[in-house]
Amino acid sequence: MKRIILYTGKGGVGKTTVAAATALQSARRGYKTLVISTDATHSLRDVFDKELGPEPKRIMPNLHAQEIDVYYSVEKYWGKLAAYLHSLFNWMKVDDVLAEEFSVLPGMEEVSSFLWVYSHFKEKLMT
């Protein structure tokens, strides 16, 4: 049976620590486990003391970890849309850095996180 466990709440309450502990215990019990952090500060790498990135990385048998990067995710899932918005802002003479920032629409970070979960679920990485 596949399960998705989602920890939410205010910042600083221990979501990352609890998620990492849950993932570790799940992997030790033999379940293929993926723990994903959407936190912009990327503290999951500190918990596992491993360099992580926007794609899943193997931590130990049955355990992978991933830290969502909104710009990477936008490029992966909405590359054409982001490129169009970026070129539109450039055409409007918006500074290149601001154009890139404006290309990430409100809510895209959260949506991209769910797209990652759905993608992993479909690919059976999380089974």
Side-chain angles (χ1 to χ4, degrees):
M1 169 180 17
K2 295 180 184 180
R3 284 199 175 147
I4 296 173
I5 301 171
L6 181 65
Y7 292 102
T8 65
K10 292 181 146 212
V13 297
K15 295 180 300 292
T16 300
T17 304
V18 171
T22 302
L24 187 60
Q25 184 63 17
S26 175
R28 285 181 177 158
R29 289 184 178 182
Y31 297 106
K32 289 183 183 175
T33 305
L34 171 66
V35 60
I36 300 173
S37 173
T38 60
D39 189 350
T41 60
H42 297 315
S43 57
L44 192 59
R45 67 182 63 187
D46 297 328
V47 173
F48 288 116
D49 195 28
K50 298 249 187 222
E51 194 60 37
L52 300 175
E55 293 283 346
K57 181 174 183 179
R58 186 174 186 266
I59 302 297
M60 60 180 266
N62 295 320
L63 179 59
H64 287 77
Q66 176 181 7
E67 293 179 327
I68 302 294
D69 176 326
V70 69
Y71 295 104
Y72 180 87
S73 298
V74 164
E75 183 64 33
K76 183 172 177 116
Y77 288 110
W78 290 300
K80 290 181 181 178
L81 173 62
Y84 171 75
L85 289 172
H86 193 254
S87 67
L88 179 65
F89 288 128
N90 280 335
W91 176 79
M92 296 171 61
K93 307 288 188 228
V94 173
D95 176 81
D96 197 46
V97 173
L98 287 176
E100 184 175 343
E101 292 290 324
F102 290 152
S103 297
V104 178
L105 302 174
M108 281 181 122
E109 190 166 6
E110 290 79 8
V111 170
S112 69
S113 297
F114 284 115
L115 286 172
W116 275 107
V117 171
Y118 178 72
S119 172
H120 294 318
F121 190 80
K122 246 177 66 176
E123 293 172 15
K124 300 185 181 182
L125 180 63
M126 296 170 46
T127 59

